Amino acid sequence: MKPAPFSYHAAQTLDEAFALLQAHGDEARILAGGQSLTPMMNMRMARPTHLVDIGGIEDLAYIRGNGDRIEIGALTRHYQLEQSSLVQRVCPILAAAARNIGHYAIRQRGTIGGSLAHADPAAELPLMAVLFDTEIEIGSGAGNRVVMASDFLVSIYTTALEPNEILTQVVFPTLVAGEGWGFRWVSRRVGDFAIVSVAVTVKLDSSGRVERLRLAVGGVDAKPLALGQLADAYVGQGPGSRWVEAIAEEAAGQMQPGSDLHASAEYRRELTQVLLRRALRDALDRLGKH
Amino acid sequence: MSNISFQLTVNGVAREVLVEPRKLLSDVLREDLRLTGTHVGCEHGVCGACTVQVDGRPMRSCLLFAVQMQGNQITTIEAVMKNGEYSPMQQALHDEHGLQCGFCTPGIVMTFEAYLKENPDPTDEEIAEALSGNLCRCTGYQNIIKAVRMAAAKMNSPKNQEVEP
Ligand SMILES: Cc1cc2nc3c(=O)[nH]c(=O)nc-3n(C[C@H](O)[C@H](O)[C@H](O)COP(=O)(O)OP(=O)(O)OC[C@H]3O[C@@H](n4cnc5c(N)ncnc54)[C@H](O)[C@@H]3O)c2cc1C
Ligand code: FES
Ligand code: FES
């Protein structure tokens, strides 16, 4: 297995990268960590004639707190998200998601920008982006724009990125004190993409009723789904076991997954229900503890 | 597409290569630099046989183009033995029968040489998680886990932490 021939361009700055993309148009492809693109090139499922390596743009690798936001540069590697003490403290679900990506050696190289731009429907970081409907910042030679994750992710392996654009930053919110979270998944083997994965956050008000609820499910559709409407319907209630059960059941009922080699639609729906139940319980167990 | 020439630093030595940009680091190591200790299995990142260290971090050499590695320090299995002696990780694989055919072994050594620096006292579960990125078709993994545990213990023992006077 060998990739088809290409010309290699190493961009040292964003401006250089924009110029290279402009010059080579549709023939060019951005290379970040290469943990998704290079396998596809090795199998010749991707055959770019120009490869624009943005790995050397050091200003794109950072994690910084900014009030109640965490700004994450596109070239931040999965292991850096996993190990960041800031992320572990203020958005621990994101660190947990990063820790679950592939294998140790894959996490050393793969980047958050690459994972979002690749848009695998079962991937961890797109699930997190959808859970929080994060702001995704995109640049091009012509200027910058911000797209919300729900609009950024279009379908399987398809995003709102134009060929001349580069994803530069993702902004996550911080969880507030006392906000619980849960992240659960099922995969055949450790390190495989999940068959189904779910992520939730739960915040209670001072009277113990649910004040904010976020729900997202991956692996059941062409992109990870945020269940915003369903979540809103369960705000204002006490989070007892009936509440947990009703959400899990209603969510599973709404899912219309496909059947494929890895799992049947029925199994995916069943997993959605079981995993949501567990994730919600995890979140309630963690309330006030993170 | 024509060859280009550039420098790679492998095991501390600067080496000149003349290859196509599409040539994978794994192939340049094996074919151009004749460092055949790095093995090639799947060529899509799954099996871990090709794992080398880039600036001390384990990475798949089948998912890196050699041309990307100018300015990085590449370390391969050939540099792990010091003064004719196995590293604790290598010795432990030997002692615990952590290999049979040995195809997967270089990747496992390069992974855990780095992993044990970051996590010097891992649980069996953590070892198994880290080992998930290295497929072994012979051993059944149990002896590899034992070997990692033994290597960790050896590396943590006070004797090994003594500083030369
Ligand atoms: C064995 C194996 C197991 C894996 N398991 C998992 C898993 O369980 N979960 C998971 O989520 N992922 C998994 N991955 C994929 C991994 O997370 C990749 O790191 C990630 O999908 C892509 O990131 P990258 O930086 O490697 O991107 P690349 O491979 O360099 O690029 C991927 C795509 O994104 C584009 N791109 C990259 N960066 C940008 C940018 N800043 N702006 C615009 N476009 C960009 C590229 O042009 C390309 O189309 C696995 C990979 C392997 C090899
Ligand atoms: S050959 Fe590189 S991971 Fe299998
Ligand atoms: S010893 Fe044969 S593959 Fe691991």
Side-chain angles (χ1 to χ4, degrees):
Chain A
M1 280 196 295
K2 308 295 167 197
F6 57 81
S7 321
Y8 173 80
H9 313 271
Q12 301 305 327
T13 64
L14 259 180
D15 285 337
E16 258 177 57
F18 291 143
L20 284 163
L21 291 177
Q22 204 61 47
H24 299 295
D26 284 353
E27 312 239 287
R29 200 73 183 262
I30 296 165
L31 177 66
Q35 303 300 290
S36 292
L37 181 55
T38 310
M40 292 200 306
M41 290 174 65
N42 287 356
M43 292 185 264
R44 299 210 178 184
M45 284 152 58
R47 314 172 63 126
T49 34
H50 293 274
L51 210 51
V52 177
D53 187 353
I54 61 170
I57 310 180
E58 283 170 11
D59 333 341
L60 279 184
Y62 56 85
I63 301 174
R64 56 186 181 224
N66 182 356
D68 58 359
R69 298 149 54 93
I70 317 169
E71 299 167 348
I72 301 172
L75 278 182
T76 304
R77 316 261 177 205
H78 304 326
Y79 84 89
Q80 291 169 322
L81 270 187
E82 171 187 351
Q83 294 178 0
S84 156
S85 56
L86 175 72
V87 175
Q88 286 174 7
R89 199 170 67 247
V90 299
C91 198
I93 190 172
L94 182 57
R99 191 173 313 127
N100 199 49
I101 298 173
H103 312 287
Y104 183 60
I106 304 300
R107 296 194 291 274
Q108 307 297 317
R109 186 93 192 153
T111 68
I112 188 169
S115 177
L116 290 168
H118 185 59
D120 189 298
E124 283 81 356
L125 298 177
L127 178 71
M128 292 298 131
V130 159
L131 177 73
F132 293 106
D133 202 11
T134 54
E135 286 173 22
I136 293 177
E137 299 193 14
I138 297 171
S140 73
N144 300 329
R145 63 185 180 122
V146 175
V147 180
M148 305 310 283
S150 47
D151 297 323
F152 177 83
L153 295 169
V154 176
S155 184
I156 178 164
Y157 307 140
T158 311
T159 68
L161 283 167
E162 299 290 337
N164 63 341
E165 288 184 322
I166 298 177
L167 190 165
T168 53
Q169 177 175 280
V170 191
V171 182
F172 278 84
T174 58
L175 294 187
V176 297
E179 195 163 13
W181 58 274
F183 168 58
R184 289 273 185 160
W185 69 93
V186 163
S187 59
R188 284 264 181 258
R189 290 160 301 206
V190 173
D192 282 6
F193 278 94
I195 297 172
V196 172
S197 56
V198 309
V200 310
T201 70
V202 182
K203 179 179 182 297
L204 304 187
D205 65 17
S206 53
S207 67
R209 294 186 180 281
V210 177
E211 185 180 323
R212 179 162 63 204
L213 174 65
R214 298 187 185 97
L215 304 169
V217 186
V220 289
D221 206 336
K223 59 178 190 170
L225 302 175
L227 310 181
Q229 277 189 352
L230 191 151
D232 287 347
Y234 287 86
V235 167
Q237 306 182 14
S241 55
R242 265 204 232 129
W243 179 86
V244 168
E245 214 44 62
I247 294 174
E249 197 180 319
E250 192 176 335
Q254 285 185 4
M255 297 298 120
Q256 298 185 317
S259 294
D260 60 24
L261 209 60
H262 306 289
S264 66
E266 193 186 351
Y267 181 54
R268 284 203 159 87
R269 215 174 286 120
E270 173 78 15
L271 284 181
T272 305
Q273 181 164 351
V274 171
L275 293 174
L276 266 176
R277 186 191 296 143
R278 291 181 187 163
L280 285 165
R281 286 195 194 133
D282 290 345
L284 295 172
D285 285 345
R286 284 191 178 107
L287 275 173
K289 284 191 208 147
H290 88 247
Chain B
M1 204 62 54
S2 48
N3 285 344
I4 54 171
S5 97
F6 54 90
Q7 231 180 36
L8 287 179
T9 308
V10 182
N11 301 331
V13 181
R15 308 278 301 260
E16 204 64 43
V17 294
L18 179 68
V19 298
E20 283 186 68
R22 65 167 162 161
K23 196 155 187 181
L24 298 170
L25 177 62
S26 43
D27 288 338
V28 170
L29 288 172
R30 291 177 56 83
E31 293 169 9
D32 297 83
L33 302 181
R34 295 282 164 192
L35 294 169
T36 52
T38 299
H39 292 168
V40 170
C42 67
E43 293 192 310
H44 60 278
V46 175
C47 75
C50 70
T51 307
V52 300
Q53 289 178 10
V54 176
D55 302 326
R57 299 199 161 271
M59 293 184 190
R60 304 297 202 226
S61 61
C62 73
L63 299 186
L64 294 165
F65 299 107
V67 67
Q68 292 181 271
M69 292 289 103
Q70 301 167 65
N72 296 93
Q73 296 284 337
I74 297 155
T75 312
T76 67
I77 186 68
E78 283 85 356
V80 175
M81 220 170 156
K82 293 272 151 52
N83 307 322
E85 280 190 38
Y86 286 146
S87 74
M89 186 64 231
Q90 288 175 308
Q91 187 63 47
L93 281 163
H94 177 95
D95 293 346
E96 292 287 3
H97 305 284
L99 64 147
Q100 288 178 27
C101 78
F103 192 85
C104 65
T105 314
I108 288 176
V109 172
M110 297 319 287
T111 303
F112 282 96
E113 288 285 337
Y115 183 82
L116 288 175
K117 284 191 190 124
E118 202 165 80
N119 190 356
D121 190 19
T123 63
D124 282 4
E125 202 184 331
E126 288 170 334
I127 297 171
E129 196 281 329
L131 190 56
S132 75
N134 296 82
L135 299 184
C136 175
R137 298 293 80 178
C138 303
T139 64
Y141 300 106
Q142 298 310 315
N143 288 350
I144 303 176
I145 294 178
K146 279 189 212 156
V148 176
R149 212 190 299 139
M150 178 192 263
K154 225 184 282 173
M155 288 156 79
N156 290 336
S157 82
K159 192 167 143 268
N160 267 301
Q161 287 170 0
E162 262 170 40
V163 190
E164 299 277 326

